[in-house]
Amino acid sequence: MLKFTEEHEWLKVEGDVATVGITAHAAEQLGDLVFVELPEVGASFSKGGDAATVESVKAASEVYCPLDGEITEVNEAITADPALVNSDPMGAGWFFKLKLKNISDLDGLLDESGYKELIG
């Protein structure tokens, strides 16, 4: 199942764990990424919390935690090579895996057609 936030994060959900990253639209808007800071494994976040930071040649931006949960894994490959986020934002450029506190919260997120409508 694929879900999206209005803040341009995507979630690929398998059971009660979501792989989280930024959308191709967000990566395009940011431009070439030069730095990524990821959260610590084991850290807990509330929906909307600042979970990660990205810096591009244009600007710095936060990546928000899309739902309440705990970080179970981070993608160290993107800290070593931030360009992975630009080249494959919804694949190899994922940011972290989040064990969802309440899986029913997914109902409040956008599906793919709702996200496409949001970005026009």
Side-chain angles (χ1 to χ4, degrees):
M1 176 184 357
L2 204 54
K3 291 287 193 172
F4 298 86
T5 70
E6 291 183 6
E7 291 77 29
H8 310 289
E9 287 93 20
W10 58 265
L11 298 82
K12 181 179 179 189
V13 182
E14 297 170 44
D16 64 350
V17 176
T19 301
V20 179
I22 63 172
T23 64
H25 175 80
E28 189 178 295
Q29 296 298 309
L30 285 167
D32 293 336
L33 294 186
V34 295
F35 176 78
V36 176
E37 183 178 79
L38 295 170
E40 295 288 323
V41 171
S44 292
F45 288 94
S46 296
K47 178 180 179 176
D50 296 348
T53 303
V54 293
E55 289 182 19
S56 71
V57 291
K58 293 181 183 178
S61 185
E62 299 302 321
V63 176
Y64 301 106
C65 195
L67 296 172
D68 296 350
E70 180 183 325
I71 304 297
T72 60
E73 189 178 339
V74 295
N75 185 2
E76 296 291 354
I78 64 170
T79 58
D81 184 9
L84 275 174
V85 178
N86 295 108
S87 62
D88 192 9
M90 296 183 67
W94 62 276
F95 279 67
F96 55 84
K97 295 192 179 190
L98 182 70
K99 183 171 178 34
L100 301 175
K101 189 172 182 179
N102 188 350
I103 200 152
S104 65
D105 289 345
L106 288 166
D107 297 341
L109 299 178
L110 301 167
D111 60 15
E112 195 162 359
S113 64
Y115 182 71
K116 284 182 177 172
E117 202 173 291
L118 174 76
I119 61 175

